[in-house]
Amino acid sequence: MEGTPRSPLAAHAASPEELRDRIEAERRGRPFLVLRELDPEHPRQRIVDLAADVTRLSVGRAAQNDVDLQWDTEVSRLHAELECIGGEWTVSDDGLSRNGTYVNGTRISGRVRLRDGDVVRVGRTQIAFKRPDTEDSLPTQVAGGAQAALGELSPLQRRVLAALARPYKHDEFAVPATNNQIADELHLSVDAVKSHLRTLFGRFGIEHLPQNQKRSRLVAEALQAGLVSVRDL
């Protein structure tokens, strides 16, 4: 659909602050939703925790919905429902909406079970479902450079990425590890760490960013692409 925004989990979609919010949500260990509000005055990420005592949520444009998408005129007043059945989250439309509900690009009919990383589209809004620490959890699938990098990185480059992101394990407001910290952890020279990072910046197409932004962006890209998970930190 023309004008449909990219997935809220896509590469380059999150700021470092928004990434920290996602990491904190994963740490809580409960399923959650990630979406990006399309309101031009408030184009921000929203995270909806699916607490243990919540078993059903309505999705729609009316303010009374649990997940209200008032800014999206292509969403029906009551568009879809999310329901937890037997510990598994599902999405259903059942003819509630005018424009349909899609999971990973396929229009659904009836009820569909959601798996980690699935993206539900209602109107022009895309809602990612995340379920940390499950056996069927899949790394977030993103298109382009990050996916290409996923199959090309060496084991050592993956370890450099994990070491770079390590400070986020205990502090969502952390900054990426320094070259010296990475070198000490991996028993490498600082020059070797710098060389690996330059290669990674190029793989992810972020070598043009200001120096003070590259490292946090690389952490964001690695986590979003599934190259590093919270459990690796």
Side-chain angles (χ1 to χ4, degrees):
M1 179 182 299
E2 184 178 357
T4 297
R6 59 194 172 187
S7 163
L9 298 177
H12 308 296
S15 67
E17 292 77 15
E18 290 172 337
L19 174 65
R20 290 170 189 146
D21 289 341
R22 293 188 200 174
I23 293 173
E24 183 60 29
E26 293 221 12
R27 285 201 187 102
R28 290 192 287 270
R30 299 190 299 267
F32 62 95
L33 308 175
V34 182
L35 62 98
R36 184 163 297 280
E37 298 184 356
L38 304 182
D39 186 339
E41 296 184 3
H42 303 285
R44 61 186 178 89
Q45 173 181 273
R46 190 204 299 186
I47 291 178
V48 179
D49 278 310
L50 303 178
D53 59 348
V54 174
T55 58
R56 179 175 295 180
L57 295 93
S58 59
V59 180
R61 187 156 45 90
Q64 294 84 355
N65 286 288
D66 301 299
V67 182
D68 64 283
L69 311 174
Q70 299 179 58
W71 62 86
D72 192 338
T73 57
E74 295 181 20
V75 171
S76 298
R77 290 182 58 80
L78 175 59
H79 195 108
E81 287 186 322
L82 295 167
E83 185 174 9
C84 187
I85 302 174
E88 300 293 338
W89 279 94
T90 65
V91 61
S92 61
D93 189 316
D94 292 333
L96 294 173
S97 70
R98 179 175 182 179
N99 293 324
T101 299
Y102 297 75
V103 175
N104 300 329
T106 300
R107 185 166 183 167
I108 67 171
S109 176
R111 189 178 305 276
V112 173
R113 177 190 173 191
L114 293 175
R115 298 180 181 273
D116 180 60
D118 282 347
V119 176
V120 178
R121 177 166 65 82
V122 294
R124 295 182 298 113
T125 301
Q126 304 211 50
I127 305 170
F129 173 78
K130 293 296 295 176
R131 183 173 183 175
D133 300 328
T134 60
E135 291 183 358
D136 65 347
S137 289
L138 300 173
T140 301
Q141 300 296 304
V142 296
Q147 277 300 306
L150 180 59
E152 297 172 359
L153 296 188
S154 69
L156 181 53
Q157 288 170 332
R158 290 172 185 262
R159 289 170 61 200
V160 169
L161 282 174
L164 181 71
R166 189 90 59 209
Y168 291 92
K169 180 175 183 178
H170 299 296
D171 181 4
E172 68 267 30
F173 299 107
V175 295
T178 65
N179 291 339
N180 285 330
Q181 289 171 326
I182 297 171
D184 289 343
E185 178 180 335
L186 301 182
H187 305 291
L188 297 172
S189 68
V190 172
D191 286 341
V193 171
K194 290 179 179 179
S195 177
H196 285 302
L197 288 175
R198 282 195 297 268
T199 299
L200 290 166
F201 293 149
R203 289 280 178 86
F204 284 89
I206 58 175
E207 67 275 15
H208 63 284
L209 291 178
Q211 191 63 35
N212 63 346
Q213 295 180 20
K214 287 181 184 179
R215 302 170 77 87
S216 59
R217 173 53 62 186
L218 183 57
V219 171
E221 298 283 1
L223 286 163
Q224 291 167 357
L227 294 165
V228 177
S229 72
V230 174
R231 285 167 288 183
D232 295 328
L233 303 183

